[in-house]
Each structure stands twice: as structure tokens, then as C-alpha cells.
Amino acid sequence: MKAFTDLPFVRDFVRLCSIGDAQGFHERNGGNLTYHLTAADVKAAKAVLKGRKPGPWEDVELTKDVAVPSFAGEWFLATGSGKFFRNVAYDPENSFALCELDETGSRYRVLWGLAGGGRPTSEFSSHLMNLAVKDRVSGGKVRVIYHAHPANLIAMTYVCPLDDKSFTRALWNTMTECPVIFPEGVGVVKWMVPGGREIAVKTSTLMDRHSVVVWAHHGLFCAADTFDNAMGLMETVEKAAKIYMLVLASGRKPVSGITPKGYRAIAKRYSVDIPEKYL
Ligand code: 13P
Ligand code: ZN
């Protein structure tokens, strides 16, 4: 019989963790990943988990005003708090969990995983709120929230002004493909304490119009329909940040860049909507 870890969406979840680790995006327990199961995934999971006893109901640590009632009864995969991305493929059953939300969307129980104990990521509230916003605006397409600590992106938050327009333009200007890959630009959250309600609310507000949100001096949040696209966003933004930092490190003042006219031409050629407010 198939094991839970043989299910395609579980294999993809594990694969993203291994790629992220290989990229150096996850020192120690840095970063976290959540996946919202489709109805077909739930059916497949139920078939392989038949007869397994769920864990007790636990608070998601969401206060009433930030609960996710739209996700009542929904199932999620989430990395465990304090768990290392490096160990996800090596020791899946202790590194992440399949969780079910209750009928209020404010409590969860573990259906599989975290065998040695533990809780889903400390950013579970943020992930669920981001997913709820993206679910609404994408008509149920967005399923993955990926948070990592890529070094160049974090470095960039010390030298680039921390507003959406400056950060978006700085990233777009590094590589022509950037405005095609994240045409809605990036949202920026100035430094805040991670893991709490405030940062979850702030991030999910920005997720309404962005798929990439920068946490100053901390890392990046990406939202996508697939694991590949979530990693694609993370890698693209980190590479753009690397180019930005390389240009800065050269000590030379840039003598050229992409012009507003150029961005409009890219939008036309690739049929993407590039907001005028960023040009
Ligand atoms: P967790 O180990 O709780 O997922 O926290 C890691 C992290 O990156 C917090 O922002
Ligand atoms: Zn983090």
C-alpha cells in the first residue's frame, strides 16, 4: 500500500524543502512552508491514512479577529516549528505535519507527522491568513505559501528604501524577466517581531495585491499555485537581489537601466499588467 509520503503533493512539498536547503535559503530552522490540499489531495490522503487516530485539537494561536473561518475543515501540510528544512526529506515524519482545521478555522489537529511532538511553524497564522486572502483573490488557485531567509534579499533590505515602489523598481531593474515573473511588484513590511498576529495581518493585507512580500531584515514570503512557482518566485527575487548587491559592491554608479518606456514595451510583449504607479 502507498505510504503518505508517496502521495504526489507530499513528494512535491518535500522536494521544495530539499531545493530550498540546497540553495542555502534555510539556516537551522529558518523558513517555513504551507500547502493547502485540494479536494482530490484530501481524498488521496484519507485513503492512505485510513484508521489512523488524529491528535488532539490545539489553538492555531489566532485571535478571533484573525481566524480563518473560510478554511473551516480544510487540510494543510506545514513544516514544524523549530524543524530544519535539511531534515524534511531525511526524516519527514518528524519535520512536518498534515493538519486539519476545525469548524471555526481557529484550531487544528495533526492527522499525520510531528511524530515526536511539536507544533506547525510559528508563522502558521501568517501562512493561513495569506492563503485565505490569496484563495479569495485567485478563485482557489493559490495553494502554497513559502517563507525563506535568502541572504542577498535580506542584505538588500539594509540599503534599499523600504517602500513598495523603491523595492519593486530596484528588483525589476536588475533583470528584464523580473517584471514578467512578478508584474504586481513586491510588498514591503518594515521590521516587525515575527511569529505574531500583527505581522500576520500586515503581510496578508499586502498579499491582496502581491505574491511576494519582503520582511525587512528577515526574509521573503512567496505565494503561488504550485510548488515550482513558489520556488521560482523565491529564486528569481533572490537572484535579482544578488545582482542589485553586486552592482552596489562594484562601487560604480549604474550608467544605464530599464526605462518606463521599456517596462511598457515588456508589458505589451508579454501581455502582463505592469502598474503605472511603479514606473
Ligand atoms: P519556525 O521554525 O517556527 O517555522 O520559524 C522559522 C522562521 O523562519 C520564523 O520566521
Ligand atoms: Zn523567518
Side-chain angles (χ1 to χ4, degrees):
M1 194 178 117
K2 236 185 188 177
F4 179 68
T5 46
D6 292 331
L7 296 173
F9 67 92
V10 184
R11 287 165 56 99
D12 288 347
F13 182 96
V14 172
R15 182 166 173 262
L16 182 146
C17 293
S18 298
I19 296 170
D21 175 54
Q23 296 276 27
F25 293 166
H26 302 283
E27 78 293 340
R28 205 177 181 279
N29 66 308
N32 21 71
L33 176 66
T34 301
Y35 172 67
H36 177 199
L37 276 68
T38 64
D41 296 332
V42 171
K43 199 171 162 207
K46 277 184 176 162
V48 297
L49 297 178
K50 219 170 168 189
R52 219 180 153 100
K53 199 172 163 281
W57 288 106
E58 309 271 1
D59 285 337
V60 177
E61 285 179 358
L62 297 174
T63 53
K64 266 205 175 66
D65 48 334
V66 291
V68 282
S70 61
F71 283 158
E74 295 290 302
W75 291 22
F76 299 85
L77 284 180
T79 47
S81 186
K83 304 296 181 184
F84 295 18
F85 265 54
R86 180 161 307 158
N87 293 339
V88 169
Y90 168 70
D91 187 13
E93 202 152 0
N94 278 303
S95 302
F96 64 99
L98 173 67
C99 299
E100 176 185 11
L101 289 195
D102 73 353
E103 71 283 354
T104 64
S106 62
R107 293 196 308 158
Y108 75 92
R109 62 179 177 180
V110 173
L111 302 175
W112 178 94
L114 292 178
R119 299 176 55 84
T121 170
S122 56
E123 309 294 359
F124 200 36
S125 306
S126 257
H127 286 238
L128 290 174
M129 288 178 66
N130 293 339
L131 279 169
V133 167
K134 292 311 255 183
D135 194 65
R136 177 171 49 77
V137 298
S138 74
K141 283 203 189 86
V142 170
R143 298 265 154 192
V144 183
I145 298 289
Y146 175 35
H147 167 57
H149 297 171
N152 292 288
L153 181 277
I154 297 172
M156 189 174 160
T157 66
Y158 290 90
V159 288
C160 183
L162 295 172
D163 63 83
D164 300 357
K165 183 174 178 178
S166 303
F167 226 90
T168 296
R169 271 304 287 273
L171 288 168
W172 280 359
N173 211 30
T174 62
M175 294 195 290
T176 301
E177 294 276 305
C178 282
V180 181
I181 293 166
F182 49 102
E184 66 293 321
V186 299
V188 179
V189 176
K190 292 198 174 74
W191 188 85
M192 289 175 92
V193 176
R197 175 187 173 274
E198 254 180 75
I199 199 164
V201 172
K202 178 77 191 158
T203 310
S204 61
T205 307
L206 289 167
M207 281 290 181
D208 200 42
R209 55 186 185 281
H210 299 286
S211 292
V212 179
V213 174
V214 175
W215 280 9
H217 322 321
H218 182 143
L220 196 66
F221 264 80
C222 297
D225 51 349
T226 64
F227 291 101
D228 273 349
N229 284 336
M231 179 54 82
L233 278 174
M234 187 66 71
E235 286 177 324
T236 305
V237 173
E238 168 60 357
K239 185 166 184 183
K242 184 175 181 177
I243 294 167
Y244 179 90
M245 296 308 291
L246 281 171
V247 172
L248 214 66
S250 77
R252 306 278 293 268
K253 202 171 169 324
V255 292
S256 68
I258 306 168
T259 61
K261 202 172 155 213
Y263 287 114
R264 288 186 196 107
I266 291 169
K268 197 162 170 232
R269 172 68 183 82
Y270 290 93
S271 309
V272 288
D273 198 13
I274 295 179
E276 276 292 316
K277 66 176 179 178
Y278 290 139
L279 305 185

